[in-house]
Amino acid sequence: MKLTRKLVLAKAKASDLESVKKLNCWGCNLTDISIFTQMPNIEVLALSVNGISTLSPLAGCLSLTELYLRRNQIPSLSELSHLRPLPRLRVLWLAENPCCGTDSSRYRLTVLRCLPRLQKLDNQVVTEDEVALALLNGEEVRTPPGSLPIQLSNNGHQDAETENDPLNYNMEETNKIRQGLGMKPLSRDKFSSPCSPSTREKPTMRRTHTVDAILLLLRDLDEEELRIVHTATLNRLQTYTLGSGEAQPLTAHTETH
């Protein structure tokens, strides 16, 4: 069944698609959700218990913060690549889809590597340690074969997928760190896609990207190199201790919902 404009407006009690902020289409036998390419302002979307198999129509919903997709027909975690452009997405419920497989740990780490900004996945709070582990051990999610890159109009700015995918920043950040350690830069195929950091990025987000890059870098270091990083880290922490009386730990941004 195709989700139509008429059905959306009836459910949301709205007069036009752009004014719809919340929509509940639980259990409507939906298979076609292409209507969401016309709904950039949707914020909370409940699509559980349907027959949805692709998430590509959601790639332009840049205001989306909560997405509920439990018990659909999402075939592969590669579909998550369509959610990378969504800078505000914090809650995702994806359980009971074919893409989840039987290895719950692998599934969760892979989702969080692709979408490290999530604060809740499948009704479970995402921890800082989980995200760090996911960036190290989660599998890379690639764009599904045959999918076209999402090109969005952003008043001259780069497209949303390039701008908001945190792994895209990691290539440049990681290679800067490697250069500082006297190591060779990694090739582009180590990362999801090439890009340069956004000129509009907030300082707090830049710090997060730098931490992500460091965590990715650790995978390629041998024992001697890890000891160098360990020593440098201790020395850096010592400067904080001398300056403020105690070391300042890294903290993750959290938001209760």
Side-chain angles (χ1 to χ4, degrees), residues 67-97:
L67 178 59
Y68 301 92
L69 290 164
R70 185 176 63 89
R71 289 181 60 186
N72 272 279
Q73 296 299 319
I74 309 300
S76 168
L77 291 178
S78 62
E79 287 293 325
L80 294 178
S81 64
H82 299 301
L83 303 183
R84 281 177 176 163
L86 311 185
R88 300 179 183 178
L89 186 62
R90 295 294 180 268
V91 177
L92 175 65
W93 199 329
L94 191 63
E96 298 178 70
N97 274 274

Side-chain angles (χ1 to χ4, degrees), residues 91-245:
V91 177
L92 175 65
W93 199 329
L94 191 63
E96 298 178 70
N97 274 274
C99 64
C100 300
T102 56
D103 188 339
S104 59
S105 177
R106 169 190 166 278
Y107 152 74
R108 193 168 174 89
L109 290 178
T110 299
V111 173
L112 292 179
R113 174 173 175 176
C114 181
L115 304 171
R117 297 190 188 96
L118 288 180
Q119 294 174 354
K120 185 177 286 189
L121 173 60
D122 295 341
N123 207 33
Q124 294 183 21
V125 174
V126 174
T127 67
E128 179 184 359
D129 289 342
E130 269 191 302
V131 174
L133 185 62
L135 290 169
L136 288 170
N137 298 325
E139 295 185 15
E140 182 180 354
V141 169
R142 298 185 181 277
T143 304
S147 295
L148 296 175
I150 301 299
Q151 299 292 333
L152 298 176
S153 175
N154 283 305
N155 298 321
H157 296 291
Q158 58 190 343
D159 68 274
E161 183 170 1
T162 299
E163 180 180 348
N164 294 303
D165 181 359
L167 288 181
N168 286 333
Y169 296 97
N170 289 338
M171 183 183 73
E172 183 168 323
E173 297 289 349
T174 298
N175 284 336
K176 283 182 180 179
I177 297 167
R178 292 179 72 89
Q179 183 178 6
L181 293 172
M183 301 169 63
K184 293 181 179 180
L186 294 176
S187 61
R188 291 180 180 273
D189 59 12
K190 292 283 187 181
F191 300 86
S192 296
S193 59
C195 87
S196 58
S198 168
T199 57
R200 296 181 295 152
E201 188 183 10
K202 295 180 180 179
T204 53
M205 292 181 67
R206 286 300 304 274
R207 288 196 293 270
T208 299
H209 296 321
T210 300
V211 172
D212 293 347
I214 292 172
L215 291 172
L216 285 172
L217 169 69
L218 294 179
R219 294 189 300 178
D220 298 303
L221 302 183
D222 59 25
E223 182 178 356
E224 181 179 355
E225 292 166 338
L226 285 170
R227 291 185 185 279
I228 293 173
V229 173
H230 177 66
T231 301
T233 302
L234 290 178
N235 290 338
R236 179 65 174 162
L237 285 172
Q238 188 175 16
T239 63
Y240 277 103
T241 302
L242 293 174
S244 61

